[in-house]
Amino acid sequence: MQFGIKTPPQHCTWQDMVDIWQITDSIPTFSSCWNFDHFYPLVGDPKGTCMESWVTLSALTCMTSRVRVGCMVTGAPYRHPAVTANMALTLDIVSGGRLNLGLGAGWFEPECQAYGIDLKPMKERMDRFEESVQIIRSLMANETTDFEGNHFQLKEARAEPKGIQPGGPPVIIGGGGEKRTLKIAAMYADHWNLSFASPEQFSAKKAVLARHCEDIGRNLDEIECSVQIALPADQAPNESADLAACLRDAGVDTVIFTLRNPYRTDIIEPLGKALESLR
């Protein structure tokens, strides 16, 4: 089993994030570090601060050397997929091949309404997301990409230079929508992530993912499965380890601990020690 630490860039300082990522990078129990892609905070004071995801991700990548890095997940409505593909390929080079590329359809209405971002009704949103994933995968792997969709059209499009990882960074699809999100994960994901789910909820969603894989003739074992769980600043390490053990028993490959404010570096090392027996 693998473990990651996620620091949403909300209600915190830049140095808070640097400190957490650097201590996580120094502890072998943890294999990855993550942030999220939002402009407004998701918890706490909705008028609080929230730093941009890919700027912080790029800088934090350069302040670590071992852990894999990623944004869980990059929202499709915020950037053209060709822009996302070029960002990912460049950061894969900068990171020395440590990037995981998280992708999601988008959902947070307040920031979209405030900024005039067209989130779209659900069907159109998912259609656009599926087109985005296809375009990103093609641009990262192929010399040129032609694409004629309802939302995007590309003609002999290029994304160079390619990243260090062949075919581009592993693609993570985040979400639990059973009709579309899990189908898209079955078709295109190297890694599927479910947020804040119990072992029972995870098992039910994984069964749906398995059916989608069976329908398209794909082996479910090709897809890494992860779950995010909250890590409050005052939660006992053994309690967190017990939650991770239950998820492991349900078939989770990776648990990502999402920190809650205030961010404290002194909880990372005890958590790593409590998790050692589960690796």
Side-chain angles (χ1 to χ4, degrees):
M1 193 175 201
Q2 297 189 74
F3 304 103
I5 291 292
K6 179 176 176 180
T7 55
Q10 60 188 355
H11 304 303
C12 67
T13 67
W14 166 242
Q15 194 60 49
D16 289 336
M17 295 184 68
V18 171
D19 292 344
I20 293 290
W21 280 52
Q22 289 187 326
I23 193 168
T24 301
D25 191 49
S26 72
I27 299 172
T29 305
F30 299 104
S31 61
S32 59
C33 283
W34 309 82
N35 67 358
F36 75 20
D37 188 25
H38 290 285
F39 306 103
Y40 283 14
L42 298 187
V43 299
D45 182 0
K47 294 184 179 180
T49 62
C50 189
M51 291 180 281
E52 198 278 331
S53 61
W54 275 79
V55 171
T56 56
L57 178 62
S58 298
L60 289 163
T61 294
C62 294
M63 294 184 174
T64 57
S65 60
R66 181 189 60 83
V67 289
R68 295 192 64 81
V69 298
C71 176
M72 189 70 83
V73 287
T74 304
Y78 305 143
R79 303 167 191 83
H80 191 285
V83 174
T84 300
N86 277 276
M87 290 163 54
L89 290 171
T90 299
L91 190 51
D92 195 45
I93 294 169
V94 171
S95 69
R98 292 186 288 133
L99 180 66
N100 292 328
L101 178 57
L103 301 173
W107 62 275
F108 194 45
E109 293 184 3
E111 61 194 6
C112 291
Q113 292 173 350
Y115 291 156
I117 295 170
D118 189 3
L119 188 59
K120 295 190 179 298
M122 186 58 70
K123 183 184 183 305
E124 291 181 73
R125 189 187 315 172
M126 297 309 301
D127 290 343
R128 176 179 61 185
F129 177 51
E130 185 167 0
E131 288 188 14
S132 295
V133 175
Q134 293 177 68
I135 289 167
I136 291 166
R137 293 223 70 143
S138 180
L139 285 170
M140 293 195 306
N142 300 316
E143 183 176 351
T144 60
T145 293
D146 292 292
F147 189 88
E148 189 66 34
N150 292 324
H151 298 274
F152 303 105
Q153 297 80 41
L154 281 72
K155 183 176 181 180
E156 297 182 3
R158 300 170 59 252
E160 299 292 343
K162 300 299 185 211
I164 291 176
Q165 299 176 89
V171 168
I172 299 97
I173 301 295
E178 296 185 1
K179 292 183 178 179
R180 294 297 303 277
T181 302
L182 293 178
K183 183 178 181 180
I184 292 169
M187 295 174 67
Y188 304 110
D190 301 297
H191 176 158
W192 162 62
N193 176 260
L194 186 62
S195 296
F196 310 112
S198 68
E200 294 77 17
Q201 291 169 328
F202 168 79
S203 295
K205 295 291 185 181
K206 187 175 180 180
V208 176
L209 178 63
R211 291 197 291 273
H212 284 304
C213 285
E214 184 177 358
D215 289 343
I216 65 172
R218 186 176 184 192
N219 186 348
L220 176 63
D221 292 340
E222 296 175 2
I223 303 175
E224 179 181 348
C225 297
S226 66
V227 168
Q228 297 179 55
I229 60 176
L231 181 63
D234 59 354
Q235 183 160 287
N238 289 340
E239 183 179 347
S240 297
D242 289 344
L243 291 171
C246 292
L247 289 165
R248 177 200 59 187
D249 294 342
V252 175
D253 301 307
T254 300
V255 171
I256 298 168
F257 294 92
T258 300
L259 271 66
R260 294 294 186 234
N261 307 98
Y263 292 167
R264 290 174 41 198
T265 57
D266 60 355
I267 69 173
I268 303 300
E269 186 174 358
L271 176 61
K273 291 181 178 177
L275 295 170
E276 285 179 356
S277 64
L278 302 181
R279 294 177 66 200

